[in-house]
Amino acid sequence: MTSLADLRHTAAHVLAYAVQDCFPEAKPTIGPSIENGFYYDFDRPEAFTPEDLERLERRMDEIVKANYPMKGRVVTRAEAIEHFRDNPYKVELARDIPEGEPITLYTIGEFTDLCRGGHAPSTGEIGALKLMNVAGAYWRGDEHNPMLQRIYGTAWNSQKELDDYLAFLDEAAKRDHRKLGAELDLFSVEEDAGGGLIFWHPKGAIMRQIVERFIAEGLRERGYLPVVTPHVVSEKLYEISGHLENFAHGMFGPLEVEEQRFRLKPMNCPGHILIYRSRGRSYRDLPLRYSEFGTVYRFERSGTLLGLTRVRGFTQDDAHLFCMPDQLQGEFEQTVEEALRLMRAFKFERFDYFLSTRDASLRTENDPIAEGAIRHALEKFGLPYEIDAGGGAFYGPKLDINLQDAIGRKWQLGTVQVDFTLPQRFDLKYRGSDGHDHRPVMIHRALAGSMERFFGVLIEHFGGNFPAWIAPVQAVIAPISEHQLDYARAVAKKLLDANFRVEVDESNEKLGYKIRHWKTQKVPFILVTGREEAAGGTVNVNERGVEGKRPSISVEEFMNELRARVEDKA
């Protein structure tokens, strides 16, 4: 059976064939398969319109039904260049194919393309396809090259698979954290401030504080000590750490101040190292665990920025552990245990674990020790994992934790790294029980990754329907008329005094409108107060996602119910 990757690559050829037929002036360039679909880039003076995509899709269906065989042949470089003499993009590709590598042309019907292969035997193998949208793309990804038009599409073995995928996209669109972030008034990105910088609105900031407190509780229980480091430091620090050599492209700056060069910090670890190094350390001090909700800044191109999940300024739940080599295993294990506690509290249940090793050029005699600590910790907790060869950081191997959200999408969040390199670069020491100086081992860990990305994932995971313990507004009191407004305010005061997050709807709208409005705001509980409730000291509870009418209960009963939900993280 043809793989989906080959099927989608074939669909890209079918798209290029259809564009050639419908818009002969368009020059095809490249068209690979990608996750869940394919794209093809074209050079065309006029922009493709939605109507053009519909026309192209109809022509593609005709090409699929014709069931053209995919015919390939090996040619010389000169033959390829001659065949595409009117298309400078294909000529450039043909010239760039390395010597000794075969040059192949593939033909379906009357369309021939320069391609290395990986196709279905014929166009009829494509069960169902759909063109999705058009975007701009620079030729070969270089902003100095011409801007092309990229048509995205998707292809599947059957119409049912396509329908299921489109339904998935529809659900994902409803959960889009950028859309929900605006509707629920959680955050914004302000053009006047620049892209990739997040402004947390009161409701979003409340949620962030709740999550940070939950993370901080776990840190405190495990003996972490809070620290705070500057946002701007001398560039010399990053020369020592190696970040300037390996990560300068992702750093802001330099800033020139009094003939010194400074950088906005792209990570917190060098600052924590300086705190460790600020005084002599003994084996009795270790393990030493520093934690910081540290805001860092990294340069991302504007075209890659995406809501909360790809930003230029973000806050990490960062921590760095300094320990003796014989403490490494235990420290790594407790870090993995804390990662599991965090993810399970937010109802993530499916995880993928990757042991990311370093490239051979970076490996040292300590890499097997670091990899062994990661492997043994995963095995202790019975966690299956894969090897990501070459995916480690420049200073050491690491554990990457990917999770799946409620609709099956995968996100990379937490990471834990073992580092023998930076302690050496900064000449870190501790006095051992033998009276001699020794080198500590360092563990870097950010379990949520960044608060921004974590919140983007949380919004989409819950679809904005946050559990009561993290919802910015846990309950709204909605009086039926202005005559119950004083009672509604009294109920709110009781809840506020018990540290619950509540609001009173003091609008003059009818009750039905109030309930519909607060349901769109995804508030967990709407407490209706009418004459009977005011007379009896009760509230009528309208719970999010629960159909049917509940009997009115006392305010104290509701408080006990809400308190139980919060304590159980239900």
Side-chain angles (χ1 to χ4, degrees):
M1 184 176 179
T2 303
S3 70
L4 274 177
D6 288 351
L7 189 82
R8 290 165 178 162
H9 194 181
T10 304
H13 283 258
V14 172
L15 170 59
Y17 190 177
V19 169
Q20 176 188 269
D21 282 358
C22 298
F23 307 100
E25 76 282 6
K27 289 183 170 57
T29 63
I30 57 171
S33 65
I34 56 175
E35 185 179 10
N36 296 322
F38 61 90
Y39 69 78
Y40 212 114
D41 292 346
F42 299 93
D43 185 351
R44 181 175 180 245
E46 296 182 29
F48 289 108
T49 66
E51 293 74 24
D52 293 337
L53 294 192
E54 291 176 6
R55 181 184 173 191
L56 289 170
E57 202 172 288
R58 289 193 295 271
R59 179 65 184 116
M60 291 175 72
D61 286 338
E62 293 172 355
I63 296 169
V64 169
K65 289 175 183 175
N67 197 22
Y68 293 115
M70 180 69 75
K71 301 175 181 178
R73 60 192 175 96
V74 178
V75 298
T76 65
R77 193 182 310 276
E79 287 173 324
I81 292 171
E82 173 59 24
H83 183 87
F84 295 106
R85 61 184 179 277
D86 296 327
N87 185 332
Y89 301 99
K90 296 292 185 183
V91 169
E92 181 179 328
L93 291 173
R95 292 188 191 280
D96 288 349
I97 294 174
E99 289 292 339
E101 188 173 309
I103 299 174
T104 50
L105 304 184
Y106 283 89
T107 300
I108 49 172
E110 297 179 358
F111 176 72
T112 298
D113 207 351
L114 176 69
C115 183
R116 68 179 59 181
H119 307 107
S122 65
T123 61
E125 294 278 318
I126 301 171
L129 58 80
K130 183 173 181 56
L131 297 183
M132 306 301 291
N133 61 285
V134 183
Y138 291 109
W139 168 236
R140 302 188 112 172
D142 188 334
E143 62 190 18
H144 300 100
N145 287 339
M147 174 67 78
L148 307 174
Q149 296 185 69
R150 176 170 293 178
I151 299 178
Y152 284 97
T154 188
W156 298 83
N157 287 307
S158 68
Q159 185 64 43
K160 182 183 183 306
E161 289 177 301
L162 174 60
D163 291 342
D164 289 346
Y165 176 66
L166 295 178
F168 165 81
L169 291 182
D170 184 58
E171 179 63 26
K174 292 176 185 176
R175 293 168 177 262
D176 189 319
H177 73 275
R178 295 165 295 177
K179 170 177 170 288
L180 290 172
E183 291 176 357
L184 303 180
D185 196 22
L186 301 176
F187 72 93
S188 63
V189 179
E190 301 296 331
E191 288 188 12
D192 288 345
L197 302 171
I198 305 303
F199 288 77
W200 294 84
H201 296 199
K203 290 180 180 178
I206 288 169
M207 289 184 64
R208 176 169 162 167
Q209 288 174 350
I210 293 165
V211 174
E212 288 184 355
R213 281 200 298 268
F214 175 75
I215 294 172
E217 287 171 8
L219 292 169
R220 186 170 57 252
E221 290 171 2
R222 296 181 183 275
Y224 286 77
L225 302 172
V227 297
V228 179
T229 57
H231 290 234
V232 182
V233 296
S234 170
E235 188 176 76
K236 292 178 181 178
L237 185 62
Y238 299 115
E239 290 177 359
I240 299 170
S241 70
H243 288 109
L244 198 62
E245 175 187 352
N246 292 279
F247 196 67
H249 64 280
M251 299 170 69
F252 280 104
L255 308 172
E256 298 281 349
V257 181
E258 294 181 342
E259 299 182 358
Q260 294 186 63
R261 291 160 66 92
F262 290 79
R263 294 273 187 171
L264 289 176
K265 67 172 177 178
M267 57 276 298
N268 300 297
C269 39
H272 293 189
I273 288 171
L274 292 187
I275 294 174
Y276 177 93
R277 205 181 64 178
S278 65
R279 51 169 290 188
R281 304 293 176 180
S282 160
Y283 72 95
R284 294 187 178 89
D285 299 322
L286 305 183
L288 192 57
R289 310 178 184 103
Y290 293 145
S291 67
E292 176 180 15
F293 288 100
T295 301
V296 298
Y297 305 89
R298 298 182 187 177
F299 174 70
E300 301 280 357
R301 294 189 177 278
S302 58
T304 67
L305 301 175
L306 184 65
L308 290 171
T309 57
R310 195 72 178 264
V311 294
R312 287 173 172 162
F314 55 93
T315 301
Q316 295 178 301
D317 64 318
D318 218 352
H320 295 91
L321 299 86
F322 303 87
C323 63
M324 296 183 286
D326 62 0
Q327 296 170 324
L328 172 60
Q329 189 62 51
E331 291 302 299
F332 203 93
E333 288 174 5
Q334 64 94 356
T335 301
V336 172
E337 190 173 43
E338 182 63 17
L340 295 175
R341 167 186 174 270
L342 173 67
M343 299 305 172
R344 287 167 179 164
F346 293 97
K347 307 307 177 188
F348 295 111
E349 298 175 352
R350 291 169 291 179
F351 307 92
D352 296 314
Y353 303 91
F354 295 90
L355 197 174
S356 300
T357 61
R358 292 200 292 179
D359 288 330
S361 61
L362 296 173
R363 289 180 67 82
T364 70
E365 68 277 5
N366 290 317
D367 279 57
I369 300 172
E371 292 165 11
I374 300 172
R375 184 178 291 106
H376 293 321
L378 288 166
E379 291 171 353
K380 176 180 178 178
F381 293 104
L383 304 174
Y385 63 92
E386 298 178 34
I387 301 295
D388 179 14
F394 75 86
Y395 42 75
K398 60 177 179 170
L399 167 65
D400 288 320
I401 304 173
N402 294 4
L403 56 84
Q404 292 185 47
D405 66 14
I407 59 174
R409 294 169 301 179
K410 295 184 178 181
W411 304 86
Q412 198 282 315
L413 289 178
T415 184
V416 189
Q417 305 166 359
V418 180
D419 182 3
F420 288 87
T421 301
L422 291 187
Q424 182 174 352
R425 282 179 172 268
F426 283 91
D427 194 26
L428 301 187
K429 300 173 183 176
Y430 67 89
R431 182 60 56 89
S433 58
D434 59 2
H436 297 291
D437 285 339
H438 299 272
R439 189 82 69 203
V441 185
M442 189 174 173
I443 297 176
H444 309 242
R445 48 123 287 179
L447 302 185
S450 80
M451 302 312 296
E452 284 72 13
R453 184 174 177 81
F454 189 63
F455 264 95
V457 175
L458 277 186
I459 292 169
E460 301 206 6
H461 179 57
F462 290 115
N465 294 300
F466 304 113
W469 75 279
I470 58 172
V473 178
Q474 295 170 315
V476 168
I477 298 95
I480 291 178
S481 75
E482 62 182 12
H483 300 296
Q484 292 85 44
L485 189 53
D486 285 343
Y487 176 66
R489 290 169 178 160
V491 171
K493 186 176 187 307
K494 279 188 177 182
L495 290 165
L496 288 168
D497 288 347
N499 293 320
F500 294 116
R501 300 181 294 280
V502 300
E503 291 185 13
V504 177
D505 187 331
E506 300 193 7
S507 70
N508 292 323
E509 302 292 345
K510 292 182 178 179
L511 180 63
Y513 177 89
K514 292 180 181 180
I515 290 176
R516 287 193 298 274
H517 169 72
W518 291 109
K519 281 186 174 180
T520 65
Q521 290 297 295
K522 305 182 184 297
V523 174
F525 295 97
I526 303 170
L527 308 182
V528 177
T529 56
R531 280 183 298 180
E532 292 182 7
E533 285 78 18
T538 62
V539 290
N540 188 272
V541 181
N542 188 310
E543 183 177 352
R544 182 186 63 203
V546 176
E547 299 296 329
K549 188 175 180 180
R550 290 175 56 177
S552 295
I553 59 176
S554 70
V555 177
E556 287 71 21
E557 284 180 276
F558 174 72
M559 289 170 60
N560 290 335
E561 180 181 334
L562 181 53
R563 186 175 292 109
R565 299 280 185 96
V566 171
E567 289 175 354
D568 293 343
K569 307 288 186 290

